[in-house]
């Protein structure tokens, strides 16, 4: 079977991680988040994690060569043989070219870029109330509270707030997204693989819209 790569595109707080986790279960493809991979490296204290932290804390993108190498290594693992749901990658034109090439090398293709279109005021509200678990499950104090405060429903791990969800960093991350990542919307539109979904809807409605687009 040809490997299929689905790309979740959208601003910080758009809901990429929330939706990717659910789509991953629906389609039986692994959820690969570049941000989660960096945070995992940081937790393990690797050189790559320490390097990435400097960029993440300031809301800047980690350099392309480092990011592409890390994602490539992950996509070459056996559990990705049928494809993956990519969340937060690609984020620059160079990364978009890299995934085209890599998908081809791995005997697959980018099936669709799923763009979550969300109003800016909602992004800030979503990020300020976000709590995450070390395994990447995502909660929100109002929109998606855990059953037991501070504890992940799925694996019982302790939830925490991300360092880069401070208000000033969030504003900068949104600016960086608009400058460096938003041009990918046109890139995928031109290739005929873009699907735009109204990400302002509630979590379940967004999920239904995405599954319709995936078909
Ligand atoms: P990353 O971890 O990818 O962060 P991000 O893109 O800024 O996106 P977020 O994770 O903040 O948002 P999300 O869209 O996943 O939203 P979520 O589902 O959590 O990247 C972090 C950093 O790593 C970057 O700044 C960069 O430094 C580096 N990096 C990562 N990838 C890189 C790359 N490719 N190249 C270079 N550098 C890279 O939802 C947010 C909140 O809203 C949650 O609380 C959730 O419960 C809630 N929510 C979600 N959907 C809804 C809804 N429909 N209604 C109401 N609430 C909702
Ligand atoms: Mg995320």
């Amino acid at each position: 079977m040809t490997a299929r790569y689905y790309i979740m595109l959208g601003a910080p707080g758009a809901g990429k991680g929330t939706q990717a986790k659910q789509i991953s279960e629906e389609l039986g493809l692994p959820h690969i988040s570049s941000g989660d991979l960096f945070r995992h490296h940081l937790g393990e204290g690797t050189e790559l994690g320490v390097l990435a932290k400097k960029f993440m804390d300031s809301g800047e993108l980690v350099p392309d060569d480092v990011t592409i190498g890390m994602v490539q290594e992950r996509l070459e693992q056996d559990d990705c043989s049928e494809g993956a749901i990519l969340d937060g990658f690609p984020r620059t034109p160079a990364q978009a070219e890299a995934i085209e090439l890599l998908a081809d090398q791995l005997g697959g293709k980018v099936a669709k870029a799923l763009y979550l279109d969300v109003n800016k005021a909602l992004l800030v509200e979503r990020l300020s109330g976000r709590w995450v678990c070390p395994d990447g499950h995502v909660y929100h104090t109002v929109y998606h509270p855990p059953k037991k405060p501070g504890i992940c429903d799925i694996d019982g791990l302790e939830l925490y707030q991300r360092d880069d969800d401070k208000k000033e960093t969030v504003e900068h991350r949104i600016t960086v997204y608009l400058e460096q990542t938003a041009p990918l919307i046109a890139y995928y539109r031109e290739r005929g693989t873009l699907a735009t979904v109204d990400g302002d809807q509630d979590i379940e409605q967004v999920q239904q819209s995405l599954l319709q687009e995936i078909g």
Side-chain angles (χ1 to χ4, degrees), residues 17 39 87 130 162:
R39 283 183 285 276
D87 155 15
R130 171 165 68 180
R162 277 171 40 180

Side-chain angles (χ1 to χ4, degrees), residues 13 15-18 34 39 60 88 91 95 130 139 173 201:
K16 302 182 295 296
T18 301
S34 42
R39 283 183 285 276
E60 293 292 330
R91 240 173 163 105
Q95 293 180 18
R130 171 165 68 180
Y139 298 88
R173 281 162 59 203
Q201 307 174 93

Side-chain angles (χ1 to χ4, degrees), residues 1-212:
M1 191 209 261
T2 311
R4 293 162 298 150
Y5 301 92
Y6 291 94
I7 290 164
M8 306 292 309
L9 260 185
K16 302 182 295 296
T18 301
Q19 299 297 335
K21 273 258 177 273
Q22 296 191 30
I23 293 175
S24 153
E25 279 170 28
E26 284 282 337
L27 302 188
L29 294 173
H31 167 208
I32 310 295
S33 153
S34 42
D36 287 352
L37 288 175
F38 285 130
R39 283 183 285 276
H40 181 74
H41 272 278
L42 185 62
E44 299 281 303
T46 70
E47 212 176 301
L48 193 154
V50 175
L51 172 94
K53 184 172 167 53
K54 283 193 291 192
F55 295 96
M56 294 171 86
D57 282 354
S58 60
E60 293 292 330
L61 295 184
V62 180
D64 280 337
D65 55 343
V66 177
T67 307
I68 292 168
M70 176 185 71
V71 172
Q72 170 159 4
E73 195 181 307
R74 180 66 188 89
L75 290 179
E76 285 169 353
Q77 290 171 11
D78 287 348
D79 64 323
C80 298
S81 62
E82 289 181 8
I85 312 297
L86 287 167
D87 155 15
F89 183 93
R91 240 173 163 105
T92 62
Q95 293 180 18
E97 294 296 336
I99 184 64
E100 290 296 324
L101 202 68
L102 186 59
D104 195 43
Q105 282 166 4
L106 294 171
K109 63 170 187 176
V110 172
K112 222 156 227 180
L114 303 159
Y115 167 47
L116 296 176
D117 187 8
V118 177
N119 180 299
K120 188 183 166 198
L122 277 182
L123 299 174
V124 178
E125 196 186 324
R126 287 182 184 180
L127 292 177
S128 60
R130 171 165 68 180
W131 288 79
V132 293
C133 104
D135 205 25
H137 300 108
V138 187
Y139 298 88
H140 189 280
T141 43
V142 177
Y143 301 122
H144 181 40
K147 292 193 182 84
K148 210 167 148 195
I151 303 291
C152 178
D153 293 351
I154 296 158
D155 46 30
L157 297 173
E158 207 172 315
L159 304 178
Y160 68 96
Q161 286 191 291
R162 277 171 40 180
D163 286 345
D164 60 349
D165 279 349
K166 289 194 219 71
K167 198 169 183 305
E168 323 77 78
T169 319
V170 163
E171 291 288 343
H172 188 58
R173 281 162 59 203
I174 294 173
T175 304
V176 167
Y177 163 79
L178 291 172
E179 287 173 1
Q180 301 192 47
T181 307
L184 296 187
I185 298 165
Y187 173 91
Y188 286 110
R189 187 178 291 122
E190 279 158 26
R191 300 177 87 85
T193 45
L194 183 78
T196 302
V197 161
D198 174 7
D200 289 356
Q201 307 174 93
D202 70 31
I203 293 175
E204 192 47 41
Q205 287 169 327
V206 176
Q207 181 67 199
Q208 291 313 318
S209 305
L210 285 170
L211 289 173
Q212 262 174 20

